[in-house]
Amino acid sequence: MSTAVDDDLWSAIGDPTRRTMIDLLLAGGPGTATSLSDRLPVTRQAVAKHLAVLDRVGLVHGAPAGRERRYRVDEAQLARAVAQLSAVGASWDARLRRIKRIAEAIHRNRESEGD
C-alpha cells in the first residue's frame, strides 16, 4: 500500500462538510444526496456537488437508485487515506523530535558558556 500523499484526496477530505458526509455514510450505510441533505445544514445541490468530489477521488461510489444515486464509502480508499495520514504524522513527529534535540543542545551550550 502506497503512503505517498495524494493531494486531490486530501483536498477532498479537507472540507468539513465532506468529512461529515463520510462519517454519516460510515455510521448509517449508503445514502443519497437527499437523505444526506436532510442531516446537513446545506442544500441537496451542495451535497450532490460534495458527493461528486468524493466520488472523483474514490472515497465514495454511487450506484443508481431510482432517480438518485446511492453512495457508499470505499473502505479501501479510506484505509489508503488513513495510511497517508499516519505516514505524514510519523514524519512530522520525527521532525519535531529533531527540532527538540537541536533546541536542547543549543540550550545546554548556552548554559555551559555562561558558567
Side-chain angles (χ1 to χ4, degrees), residues 5-16 18-19 50 53-54 56-57 59 84:
V5 174
D6 180 335
D7 290 332
D8 290 336
L9 176 64
W10 284 100
S11 178
I13 293 173
D15 184 275
R18 289 193 281 267
R19 286 194 307 271
H50 284 299
V53 170
L54 293 171
R56 187 171 59 248
V57 298
L59 279 168
Q84 287 179 20

Side-chain angles (χ1 to χ4, degrees), residues 44-55:
R44 185 205 170 284
Q45 291 79 8
V47 168
K49 287 181 182 181
H50 284 299
L51 285 168
V53 170
L54 293 171
D55 194 17

Side-chain angles (χ1 to χ4, degrees), residues 18 20 22 25 33 36 38 55 62-63 66 78 94 97-98 104 108:
R18 289 193 281 267
T20 301
I22 291 170
L25 291 171
L36 290 169
D38 290 343
D55 194 17
L78 184 59
R97 284 191 300 273
R98 284 193 302 271
E104 289 170 344
R108 282 191 305 274

